[in-house]
Coordinates of all heavy atoms in Angstrom, one line a residue:
M1 N 100.9 170.2 157.6 CA 99.5 170.0 157.6 C 98.8 171.3 157.1 O 99.2 172.4 157.3 CB 98.9 169.8 159.0 CG 99.1 168.4 159.5 SD 98.2 168.4 161.0 CE 97.4 166.9 160.7
T2 N 97.8 171.0 156.4 CA 97.0 172.1 155.8 C 95.7 172.2 156.6 O 95.0 171.3 156.8 CB 96.7 171.8 154.3 OG1 97.9 171.5 153.6 CG2 96.0 173.0 153.7
V3 N 95.4 173.4 156.9 CA 94.2 173.7 157.6 C 93.1 174.2 156.6 O 93.4 175.2 155.9 CB 94.4 174.7 158.8 CG1 93.1 175.0 159.5 CG2 95.4 174.3 159.7
V4 N 92.0 173.5 156.6 CA 91.0 173.9 155.7 C 89.9 174.6 156.5 O 89.4 174.1 157.5 CB 90.3 172.7 155.0 CG1 89.2 173.1 154.1 CG2 91.4 171.9 154.2
T5 N 89.6 175.8 156.1 CA 88.6 176.6 156.8 C 87.4 176.8 155.9 O 87.5 176.9 154.7 CB 89.1 178.0 157.2 OG1 89.5 178.7 156.1 CG2 90.3 177.9 158.2
D6 N 86.3 176.8 156.5 CA 85.0 177.0 155.7 C 84.8 178.5 155.6 O 84.8 179.2 156.5 CB 83.9 176.3 156.5 CG 82.6 176.3 155.6 OD1 82.7 176.6 154.4 OD2 81.5 175.9 156.2
A7 N 84.6 178.9 154.3 CA 84.4 180.4 154.1 C 83.1 180.9 154.6 O 82.9 182.1 154.9 CB 84.4 180.6 152.6
T8 N 82.1 180.0 154.8 CA 80.8 180.4 155.3 C 80.7 180.5 156.8 O 79.7 180.9 157.3 CB 79.7 179.5 154.8 OG1 80.0 178.2 155.3 CG2 79.6 179.5 153.3
G9 N 81.7 180.1 157.4 CA 81.7 180.1 158.9 C 81.2 178.8 159.5 O 81.1 177.8 158.8
P10 N 81.0 178.8 160.7 CA 80.6 177.5 161.4 C 79.2 177.1 160.9 O 78.4 178.0 160.6 CB 80.6 177.8 162.8 CG 80.5 179.3 162.9 CD 81.1 179.8 161.7
S11 N 79.0 175.8 160.8 CA 77.7 175.4 160.4 C 76.6 175.7 161.4 O 76.9 175.5 162.6 CB 77.7 173.9 160.1 OG 77.9 173.2 161.3
P12 N 75.4 176.1 161.0 CA 74.4 176.5 162.0 C 73.8 175.3 162.7 O 73.8 174.2 162.1 CB 73.4 177.3 161.2 CG 73.6 176.7 159.8 CD 75.0 176.4 159.7
S13 N 73.4 175.5 163.9 CA 72.8 174.4 164.6 C 71.4 174.2 164.0 O 70.9 175.0 163.3 CB 72.7 174.7 166.1 OG 71.8 175.8 166.3
K14 N 70.8 173.0 164.5 CA 69.5 172.7 164.0 C 68.5 173.8 164.5 O 67.5 174.1 163.8 CB 69.0 171.3 164.5 CG 69.7 170.2 163.7 CD 69.2 168.9 164.2 CE 69.9 167.8 163.4 NZ 69.4 166.5 163.9
R15 N 68.7 174.2 165.7 CA 67.8 175.2 166.2 C 67.9 176.6 165.5 O 66.8 177.2 165.1 CB 68.2 175.5 167.7 CG 67.2 176.4 168.4 CD 67.6 176.5 169.8 NE 66.7 177.5 170.5 CZ 66.7 177.7 171.8 NH1 67.6 177.1 172.5 NH2 65.9 178.6 172.3
D16 N 69.1 177.0 165.1 CA 69.2 178.2 164.3 C 68.6 178.0 162.9 O 68.0 179.0 162.4 CB 70.7 178.6 164.2 CG 71.3 179.1 165.5 OD1 70.5 179.5 166.4 OD2 72.5 179.0 165.7
S17 N 68.8 176.9 162.4 CA 68.3 176.6 161.1 C 66.8 176.7 161.1 O 66.1 177.2 160.2 CB 68.8 175.2 160.6 OG 68.2 174.9 159.3
A18 N 66.1 176.1 162.1 CA 64.7 176.1 162.2 C 64.2 177.5 162.4 O 63.1 177.9 161.8 CB 64.2 175.2 163.4
T19 N 64.9 178.3 163.2 CA 64.4 179.6 163.4 C 64.5 180.5 162.2 O 63.6 181.2 161.8 CB 65.3 180.3 164.5 OG1 65.2 179.5 165.7 CG2 64.9 181.7 164.8
R20 N 65.6 180.3 161.4 CA 65.8 181.0 160.2 C 64.8 180.6 159.2 O 64.2 181.4 158.5 CB 67.2 180.7 159.6 CG 67.6 181.5 158.4 CD 69.0 181.3 158.0 NE 69.9 181.7 159.0 CZ 70.9 180.9 159.5 NH1 71.1 179.7 159.1 NH2 71.7 181.3 160.5
E21 N 64.4 179.3 159.1 CA 63.4 178.8 158.2 C 62.0 179.4 158.5 O 61.3 179.8 157.7 CB 63.4 177.3 158.2 CG 62.5 176.7 157.1 CD 62.6 175.2 157.1 OE1 63.7 174.7 157.2 OE2 61.5 174.6 156.9
R22 N 61.7 179.4 159.8 CA 60.4 179.9 160.3 C 60.3 181.4 160.0 O 59.3 181.9 159.5 CB 60.3 179.7 161.8 CG 58.9 180.1 162.3 CD 58.7 179.7 163.8 NE 59.8 180.2 164.7 CZ 60.6 179.5 165.4 NH1 60.6 178.2 165.3 NH2 61.6 180.0 166.1
N23 N 61.4 182.1 160.2 CA 61.4 183.6 159.9 C 61.2 183.8 158.4 O 60.5 184.7 158.0 CB 62.6 184.3 160.4 CG 62.6 184.4 161.9 OD1 61.6 184.3 162.5 ND2 63.8 184.5 162.5
L24 N 61.9 183.0 157.6 CA 61.8 183.1 156.2 C 60.3 182.8 155.7 O 59.8 183.5 154.9 CB 62.7 182.1 155.5 CG 62.8 182.2 153.9 CD1 63.2 183.6 153.5 CD2 63.7 181.2 153.4
T25 N 59.7 181.8 156.3 CA 58.3 181.5 156.0 C 57.4 182.6 156.4 O 56.5 183.0 155.7 CB 57.9 180.2 156.8 OG1 58.8 179.2 156.4 CG2 56.5 179.8 156.4
R26 N 57.7 183.3 157.5 CA 56.8 184.5 157.9 C 57.0 185.6 156.9 O 56.0 186.3 156.6 CB 57.3 184.9 159.3 CG 56.8 184.0 160.4 CD 57.3 184.5 161.7 NE 56.9 183.6 162.8 CZ 57.4 183.6 164.0 NH1 58.3 184.4 164.3 NH2 56.9 182.7 164.9
V27 N 58.2 185.8 156.5 CA 58.5 186.9 155.5 C 57.7 186.6 154.2 O 57.1 187.4 153.6 CB 60.0 187.1 155.2 CG1 60.2 188.0 154.1 CG2 60.6 187.7 156.5
Q28 N 57.8 185.3 153.8 CA 57.1 184.9 152.5 C 55.6 185.1 152.7 O 54.9 185.5 151.8 CB 57.5 183.5 152.2 CG 58.9 183.3 151.7 CD 59.3 181.8 151.6 OE1 58.7 180.9 152.2 NE2 60.4 181.6 150.8
A29 N 55.1 184.7 153.8 CA 53.7 184.9 154.1 C 53.3 186.3 154.1 O 52.2 186.7 153.5 CB 53.3 184.2 155.4
R30 N 54.1 187.2 154.7 CA 53.8 188.6 154.6 C 53.8 189.2 153.2 O 52.9 189.9 152.8 CB 54.8 189.4 155.5 CG 54.5 190.8 155.6 CD 55.4 191.6 156.5 NE 55.5 191.0 157.9 CZ 56.7 190.6 158.4 NH1 57.8 190.8 157.8 NH2 56.6 190.1 159.7
I31 N 54.8 188.8 152.4 CA 54.8 189.2 151.0 C 53.6 188.7 150.3 O 53.0 189.4 149.5 CB 56.1 188.7 150.4 CG1 57.3 189.5 151.0 CG2 56.1 188.9 148.9 CD1 58.7 189.0 150.6
A32 N 53.3 187.4 150.5 CA 52.1 186.9 149.8 C 50.8 187.6 150.2 O 50.0 187.9 149.3 CB 52.0 185.4 150.1
S33 N 50.7 187.9 151.4 CA 49.5 188.6 151.9 C 49.4 190.0 151.3 O 48.4 190.5 150.9 CB 49.4 188.7 153.4 OG 50.4 189.5 153.9
Q34 N 50.6 190.7 151.2 CA 50.6 192.0 150.6 C 50.3 192.0 149.1 O 49.5 192.8 148.6 CB 52.0 192.7 150.8 CG 52.3 193.1 152.2 CD 53.7 193.5 152.4 OE1 54.6 193.3 151.6 NE2 54.0 194.1 153.6
Q35 N 50.8 191.0 148.4 CA 50.4 190.8 147.0 C 48.9 190.5 146.8 O 48.3 191.0 145.9 CB 51.3 189.7 146.4 CG 52.7 190.0 146.2 CD 53.5 188.8 145.7 OE1 53.1 187.7 145.8 NE2 54.7 189.1 145.2
A36 N 48.4 189.7 147.7 CA 46.9 189.4 147.6 C 46.1 190.6 147.9 O 45.1 190.8 147.2 CB 46.6 188.3 148.6
R37 N 46.5 191.4 148.8 CA 45.8 192.7 149.1 C 45.8 193.6 147.9 O 44.8 194.2 147.6 CB 46.4 193.4 150.3 CG 45.9 192.8 151.6 CD 46.4 193.7 152.8 NE 46.5 192.9 154.0 CZ 47.6 192.6 154.6 NH1 48.7 193.0 154.2 NH2 47.5 191.9 155.7
A38 N 47.0 193.7 147.3 CA 47.2 194.6 146.1 C 46.3 194.1 145.0 O 45.6 194.9 144.3 CB 48.6 194.6 145.7
E39 N 46.3 192.8 144.7 CA 45.4 192.2 143.7 C 43.9 192.4 144.0 O 43.1 192.8 143.1 CB 45.7 190.7 143.5 CG 47.0 190.4 142.9 CD 47.3 188.9 142.9 OE1 46.4 188.1 143.2 OE2 48.5 188.6 142.5
F40 N 43.5 192.3 145.2 CA 42.2 192.5 145.6 C 41.7 193.9 145.4 O 40.7 194.2 144.9 CB 42.0 192.1 147.1 CG 40.6 192.1 147.6 CD1 39.6 191.3 147.0 CD2 40.2 193.0 148.6 CE1 38.3 191.4 147.5 CE2 38.9 193.0 149.1 CZ 37.9 192.2 148.5
A41 N 42.6 194.9 145.8 CA 42.3 196.3 145.6 C 42.2 196.6 144.2 O 41.3 197.4 143.8 CB 43.4 197.1 146.3
E42 N 43.1 196.0 143.4 CA 43.0 196.3 141.9 C 41.7 195.7 141.3 O 41.1 196.4 140.5 CB 44.2 195.6 141.2 CG 44.3 195.8 139.8 CD 45.6 195.2 139.2 OE1 46.6 195.2 139.8 OE2 45.5 194.6 138.1
T43 N 41.3 194.6 141.8 CA 40.0 194.0 141.3 C 38.8 194.9 141.7 O 37.9 195.1 140.9 CB 39.8 192.6 141.9 OG1 40.9 191.8 141.5 CG2 38.6 191.9 141.4
L44 N 38.8 195.3 143.0 CA 37.8 196.2 143.4 C 37.7 197.5 142.7 O 36.6 198.0 142.3 CB 37.9 196.5 144.9 CG 37.6 195.4 145.9 CD1 37.8 195.8 147.3 CD2 36.1 194.9 145.7
N45 N 38.9 198.1 142.4 CA 38.9 199.3 141.6 C 38.4 199.1 140.2 O 37.7 199.9 139.6 CB 40.3 199.9 141.5 CG 40.8 200.5 142.8 OD1 39.9 200.9 143.6 ND2 42.1 200.5 143.0
A46 N 38.7 197.9 139.6 CA 38.2 197.6 138.2 C 36.7 197.5 138.2 O 36.0 197.9 137.3 CB 38.9 196.4 137.7
L47 N 36.2 196.8 139.3 CA 34.7 196.6 139.4 C 34.0 198.0 139.6 O 33.0 198.2 139.0 CB 34.4 195.7 140.5 CG 34.6 194.2 140.3 CD1 34.4 193.4 141.6 CD2 33.6 193.7 139.2
E48 N 34.6 198.8 140.4 CA 34.1 200.1 140.7 C 34.0 200.9 139.4 O 33.0 201.6 139.1 CB 34.9 200.9 141.7 CG 34.2 202.1 142.2 CD 34.7 203.4 141.5 OE1 35.7 203.4 140.9 OE2 33.9 204.3 141.5
D49 N 35.1 200.8 138.6 CA 35.1 201.6 137.3 C 34.0 201.0 136.3 O 33.3 201.8 135.7 CB 36.4 201.4 136.6 CG 37.5 202.4 137.2 OD1 37.0 203.3 138.0 OD2 38.7 202.2 137.0
K50 N 33.8 199.7 136.3 CA 32.9 199.1 135.4 C 31.4 199.4 135.8 O 30.5 199.6 135.0 CB 33.1 197.6 135.3 CG 34.3 197.2 134.5 CD 33.9 196.2 133.5 CE 35.2 195.8 132.8 NZ 35.0 195.9 131.4
L51 N 31.2 199.4 137.1 CA 29.8 199.6 137.6 C 29.4 201.0 137.9 O 28.2 201.3 138.1 CB 29.6 198.8 138.9 CG 29.8 197.2 138.7 CD1 29.7 196.5 140.1 CD2 28.8 196.7 137.8
N52 N 30.3 202.0 137.8 CA 30.0 203.4 138.0 C 29.5 204.0 136.7 O 30.3 204.4 135.8 CB 31.2 204.1 138.5 CG 30.9 205.5 139.0 OD1 29.9 206.0 138.7 ND2 31.9 206.0 139.7
V53 N 28.2 204.0 136.5 CA 27.6 204.4 135.2 C 27.9 205.8 134.9 O 28.3 206.1 133.8 CB 26.1 204.1 135.2 CG1 25.4 204.6 134.0 CG2 25.8 202.6 135.4
P54 N 27.7 206.8 135.9 CA 28.0 208.2 135.5 C 29.5 208.4 135.0 O 29.8 209.1 134.1 CB 27.8 208.9 136.8 CG 26.8 208.1 137.6 CD 27.2 206.7 137.2
K55 N 30.4 207.6 135.7 CA 31.8 207.7 135.3 C 32.0 207.2 133.8 O 32.7 207.8 133.0 CB 32.7 206.9 136.2 CG 34.1 207.1 136.1 CD 34.8 206.3 137.2 CE 36.1 206.9 137.6 NZ 36.8 206.1 138.6
Q56 N 31.3 206.1 133.5 CA 31.4 205.5 132.2 C 30.8 206.4 131.1 O 31.4 206.6 130.0 CB 30.7 204.1 132.1 CG 31.4 203.0 132.9 CD 32.8 202.7 132.3 OE1 32.9 202.7 131.1 NE2 33.7 202.4 133.1
V57 N 29.7 207.0 131.5 CA 29.0 208.0 130.5 C 29.9 209.2 130.3 O 30.1 209.6 129.1 CB 27.7 208.4 131.1 CG1 27.1 209.6 130.3 CG2 26.7 207.2 131.1
G58 N 30.6 209.7 131.3 CA 31.5 210.8 131.2 C 32.7 210.4 130.3 O 33.1 211.2 129.5
R59 N 33.2 209.3 130.5 CA 34.4 208.8 129.7 C 34.0 208.7 128.2 O 34.7 209.2 127.3 CB 34.9 207.5 130.1 CG 35.7 207.6 131.4 CD 36.3 206.2 131.8 NE 37.1 206.3 133.0 CZ 37.5 205.3 133.6 NH1 37.3 204.1 133.2 NH2 38.2 205.4 134.7
R60 N 32.8 208.1 128.0 CA 32.3 207.9 126.6 C 32.0 209.2 125.9 O 32.2 209.4 124.7 CB 31.2 206.9 126.5 CG 31.6 205.6 126.9 CD 30.6 204.5 126.7 NE 31.1 203.3 127.2 CZ 30.8 202.1 126.7 NH1 30.0 202.0 125.7 NH2 31.3 201.0 127.2
A61 N 31.4 210.2 126.7 CA 31.1 211.5 126.2 C 32.4 212.2 125.8 O 32.5 212.9 124.8 CB 30.3 212.3 127.2
A62 N 33.4 212.1 126.6 CA 34.7 212.7 126.4 C 35.3 212.2 125.1 O 35.9 212.9 124.3 CB 35.6 212.6 127.5
R63 N 35.3 210.8 125.0 CA 35.8 210.2 123.7 C 35.0 210.7 122.5 O 35.6 210.9 121.4 CB 35.7 208.7 123.8 CG 36.8 208.1 124.6 CD 36.8 206.6 124.5 NE 36.9 206.0 125.8 CZ 36.2 205.0 126.3 NH1 35.4 204.4 125.5 NH2 36.4 204.6 127.5
A64 N 33.7 210.8 122.6 CA 32.9 211.2 121.5 C 33.2 212.6 121.1 O 33.3 212.9 119.9 CB 31.4 211.1 121.8
K65 N 33.4 213.5 122.1 CA 33.8 214.9 121.8 C 35.1 214.9 121.0 O 35.3 215.7 120.1 CB 33.9 215.7 123.1 CG 32.6 216.0 123.7 CD 32.9 216.8 125.0 CE 31.6 217.1 125.7 NZ 31.8 217.8 127.0
V66 N 36.1 214.1 121.5 CA 37.4 214.1 120.8 C 37.2 213.6 119.4 O 37.8 214.2 118.4 CB 38.4 213.2 121.6 CG1 39.6 213.0 120.8 CG2 38.7 213.8 122.9
K67 N 36.4 212.6 119.2 CA 36.2 212.1 117.8 C 35.5 213.1 116.9 O 35.9 213.3 115.8 CB 35.4 210.8 117.8 CG 36.2 209.6 118.3 CD 35.4 208.3 118.3 CE 36.1 207.1 118.8 NZ 35.3 205.9 118.8
L68 N 34.5 213.8 117.5 CA 33.8 214.8 116.7 C 34.7 216.0 116.3 O 34.6 216.5 115.2 CB 32.6 215.3 117.4 CG 31.4 214.3 117.5 CD1 30.3 214.8 118.4 CD2 30.8 214.0 116.1
R69 N 35.5 216.4 117.3 CA 36.4 217.5 117.0 C 37.4 217.1 115.9 O 37.8 217.9 115.0 CB 37.1 217.9 118.3 CG 36.2 218.7 119.1 CD 36.9 219.3 120.3 NE 36.0 220.1 121.2 CZ 36.0 220.1 122.5 NH1 37.0 219.5 123.1 NH2 35.1 220.8 123.1
R70 N 37.9 215.9 116.0 CA 38.9 215.4 115.0 C 38.2 215.3 113.6 O 38.8 215.7 112.6 CB 39.5 214.0 115.4 CG 40.6 213.6 114.5 CD 41.1 212.2 114.9 NE 41.5 212.2 116.3 CZ 41.2 211.1 117.1 NH1 40.6 210.1 116.6 NH2 41.5 211.2 118.4
F71 N 37.0 214.8 113.6 CA 36.2 214.7 112.4 C 36.0 216.1 111.8 O 36.2 216.3 110.6 CB 34.9 214.0 112.6 CG 34.0 213.9 111.4 CD1 34.4 213.1 110.3 CD2 32.9 214.6 111.3 CE1 33.6 213.0 109.2 CE2 32.0 214.6 110.2 CZ 32.4 213.8 109.2
A72 N 35.6 217.1 112.6 CA 35.4 218.4 112.2 C 36.7 219.1 111.7 O 36.6 219.9 110.7 CB 34.8 219.3 113.3
D73 N 37.8 218.8 112.3 CA 39.1 219.3 111.8 C 39.5 218.7 110.5 O 40.0 219.4 109.6 CB 40.2 219.1 112.9 CG 40.0 220.0 114.1 OD1 39.3 221.0 114.0 OD2 40.6 219.6 115.1
E74 N 39.2 217.5 110.3 CA 39.6 216.8 109.1 C 38.7 217.1 107.9 O 39.1 217.2 106.8 CB 39.7 215.3 109.3 CG 40.9 214.9 110.3 CD 40.9 213.4 110.6 OE1 40.0 212.7 110.2 OE2 41.8 213.0 111.4
Q75 N 37.4 217.1 108.2 CA 36.4 217.3 107.1 C 35.4 218.3 107.5 O 34.2 218.0 107.9 CB 35.7 216.0 106.7 CG 36.7 214.9 106.3 CD 36.0 213.6 106.0 OE1 34.8 213.4 106.3 NE2 36.8 212.7 105.4
P76 N 35.7 219.6 107.5 CA 34.8 220.6 108.0 C 33.5 220.7 107.2 O 32.4 221.0 107.8 CB 35.6 221.9 108.0 CG 36.7 221.7 107.1 CD 37.0 220.2 107.1
A77 N 33.5 220.6 105.9 CA 32.3 220.7 105.1 C 31.3 219.6 105.4 O 30.1 219.8 105.6 CB 32.7 220.7 103.6
V78 N 31.8 218.4 105.5 CA 30.9 217.3 105.9 C 30.4 217.4 107.3 O 29.2 217.1 107.5 CB 31.7 215.9 105.7 CG1 30.8 214.7 106.1 CG2 32.2 215.7 104.3
A79 N 31.2 217.9 108.2 CA 30.7 218.1 109.6 C 29.7 219.1 109.6 O 28.6 219.0 110.3 CB 31.9 218.5 110.5
F80 N 29.8 220.2 108.9 CA 28.8 221.3 108.8 C 27.5 220.8 108.2 O 26.4 221.0 108.7 CB 29.3 222.5 108.0 CG 28.4 223.6 107.9 CD1 28.1 224.4 109.0 CD2 27.7 223.9 106.7 CE1 27.2 225.5 108.9 CE2 26.7 224.9 106.7 CZ 26.5 225.7 107.8
A81 N 27.6 220.0 107.1 CA 26.4 219.4 106.5 C 25.7 218.5 107.5 O 24.5 218.4 107.6 CB 26.8 218.7 105.2
A82 N 26.5 217.7 108.2 CA 25.9 216.7 109.2 C 25.2 217.5 110.3 O 24.1 217.2 110.8 CB 26.9 215.8 109.8
A83 N 25.8 218.6 110.8 CA 25.2 219.4 111.8 C 23.9 220.1 111.3 O 22.9 220.1 112.0 CB 26.1 220.5 112.3
V84 N 23.9 220.6 110.1 CA 22.7 221.2 109.6 C 21.6 220.1 109.4 O 20.4 220.4 109.7 CB 23.0 221.9 108.2 CG1 21.7 222.2 107.5 CG2 23.9 223.1 108.4
G85 N 21.9 218.9 109.0 CA 20.9 217.9 108.8 C 20.4 217.5 110.2 O 19.2 217.2 110.3
L86 N 21.2 217.4 111.2 CA 20.7 217.1 112.5 C 19.8 218.1 113.1 O 18.7 217.8 113.6 CB 21.9 216.9 113.5 CG 21.6 216.5 114.9 CD1 21.0 215.1 115.0 CD2 22.9 216.5 115.8
V87 N 20.1 219.4 112.9 CA 19.3 220.5 113.4 C 17.9 220.4 112.6 O 16.9 220.6 113.2 CB 20.0 221.8 113.2 CG1 19.0 223.0 113.4 CG2 21.1 221.9 114.2
A88 N 18.0 220.2 111.3 CA 16.7 220.1 110.5 C 15.9 218.9 111.0 O 14.6 219.1 111.1 CB 17.1 220.0 109.1
A89 N 16.5 217.8 111.3 CA 15.7 216.6 111.7 C 15.1 216.9 113.1 O 13.9 216.6 113.3 CB 16.6 215.4 111.8
V90 N 15.8 217.5 114.0 CA 15.3 217.8 115.3 C 14.2 218.8 115.2 O 13.1 218.7 115.8 CB 16.4 218.3 116.3 CG1 15.8 218.9 117.6 CG2 17.3 217.1 116.6
G91 N 14.4 219.8 114.4 CA 13.3 220.9 114.2 C 12.1 220.3 113.6 O 11.0 220.6 114.0
A92 N 12.2 219.4 112.6 CA 11.0 218.8 112.0 C 10.3 217.9 113.0 O 9.0 217.9 113.0 CB 11.5 218.0 110.8
T93 N 11.0 217.2 113.8 CA 10.4 216.3 114.8 C 9.6 217.2 115.8 O 8.5 216.9 116.2 CB 11.4 215.5 115.5 OG1 12.2 214.7 114.6 CG2 10.8 214.6 116.5
V94 N 10.2 218.3 116.3 CA 9.5 219.1 117.3 C 8.3 219.7 116.6 O 7.2 219.8 117.2 CB 10.5 220.2 117.8 CG1 9.8 221.3 118.6 CG2 11.6 219.6 118.6
W95 N 8.4 220.2 115.4 CA 7.3 220.8 114.7 C 6.1 219.8 114.6 O 5.0 220.2 114.8 CB 7.7 221.3 113.3 CG 6.7 222.0 112.6 CD1 6.1 223.2 112.8 CD2 6.0 221.5 111.4 NE1 5.1 223.5 111.9 CE2 5.1 222.4 111.0 CE3 6.2 220.3 110.6 CZ2 4.3 222.3 109.9 CZ3 5.4 220.1 109.5 CH2 4.4 221.1 109.2
L96 N 6.5 218.6 114.2 CA 5.4 217.6 114.0 C 4.7 217.2 115.4 O 3.5 217.0 115.4 CB 6.0 216.3 113.4 CG 6.3 216.4 111.9 CD1 7.1 215.2 111.4 CD2 5.1 216.7 111.1
V97 N 5.5 217.1 116.4 CA 5.0 216.8 117.7 C 4.0 217.9 118.2 O 2.9 217.7 118.7 CB 6.1 216.5 118.8 CG1 5.5 216.5 120.2 CG2 6.8 215.2 118.4
V98 N 4.5 219.2 118.1 CA 3.7 220.3 118.5 C 2.4 220.4 117.7 O 1.3 220.6 118.2 CB 4.5 221.6 118.4 CG1 3.6 222.9 118.6 CG2 5.6 221.6 119.4
R99 N 2.5 220.2 116.4 CA 1.4 220.3 115.5 C 0.4 219.2 115.8 O -0.9 219.4 115.8 CB 1.8 220.1 114.0 CG 0.8 220.3 113.0 CD 1.3 220.3 111.6 NE 0.2 220.2 110.7 CZ 0.3 219.7 109.5 NH1 1.4 219.2 109.1 NH2 -0.7 219.6 108.7
A100 N 0.8 218.0 116.1 CA -0.1 216.9 116.5 C -0.8 217.1 117.8 O -1.9 216.8 118.0 CB 0.7 215.6 116.6
N101 N -0.1 217.8 118.7 CA -0.7 218.1 120.0 C -1.7 219.2 119.9 O -2.6 219.3 120.8 CB 0.3 218.4 121.1 CG 1.1 217.1 121.5 OD1 0.5 216.0 121.5 ND2 2.3 217.3 122.0
L102 N -1.6 220.1 119.0 CA -2.5 221.3 118.9 C -3.8 220.9 118.2 O -4.8 221.5 118.4 CB -1.8 222.4 118.1 CG -0.7 223.1 118.8 CD1 -0.1 224.2 118.0 CD2 -1.2 223.7 120.1
D103 N -3.7 219.8 117.4 CA -4.9 219.4 116.6 C -5.9 218.6 117.4 O -6.0 218.1 118.4 CB -4.5 218.6 115.4 CG -3.9 219.5 114.3 OD1 -4.1 220.7 114.4 OD2 -3.2 219.0 113.5

């Protein structure tokens, strides 16, 4: 006679099976709640970044500085001419405003 043995061991009872399934469901629920919390925190952080105006202004100013420096490094003559033009425009505007207020 040949004895056939089950490699997995004895079959679990219905009670053990139900307990194992319930525990598995609890673990899945815990994992799902942790994922939901992480997604919620990520959403709140994204909203905070979008609605924080000083932070956005700071980021855009930093980007503008980087672009201006890159432009000045690549085309120094054009950057110098643009700076002189900007200074002249601001100076003329100030002169016109002061002159209009003195008259």
Side-chain angles (χ1 to χ4, degrees):
M1 281 188 130
T2 307
V3 178
V4 178
T5 59
D6 191 8
T8 60
S11 65
S13 68
K14 287 184 179 181
R15 183 176 180 178
D16 290 340
S17 178
T19 303
R20 188 174 298 125
E21 187 175 320
R22 185 174 55 243
N23 288 340
L24 183 61
T25 303
R26 287 179 182 163
V27 169
Q28 289 170 342
R30 186 179 302 127
I31 291 170
S33 68
Q34 288 172 348
Q35 288 174 343
R37 280 189 203 110
E39 289 174 7
F40 185 62
E42 185 178 320
T43 302
L44 287 177
N45 287 336
L47 282 172
E48 190 268 335
D49 282 345
K50 288 228 180 231
L51 298 176
N52 190 343
V53 175
K55 191 177 206 178
Q56 291 294 325
V57 169
R59 283 183 181 171
R60 291 186 188 216
R63 278 190 231 138
K65 286 179 187 178
V66 168
K67 286 182 181 181
L68 286 173
R69 285 187 181 145
R70 187 179 311 138
F71 177 70
D73 289 341
E74 291 173 358
Q75 299 177 353
V78 177
F80 180 73
V84 168
L86 181 65
V87 168
V90 169
T93 303
V94 169
W95 181 70
L96 288 172
V97 168
V98 169
R99 185 173 169 209
N101 285 334
L102 289 179
D103 289 340

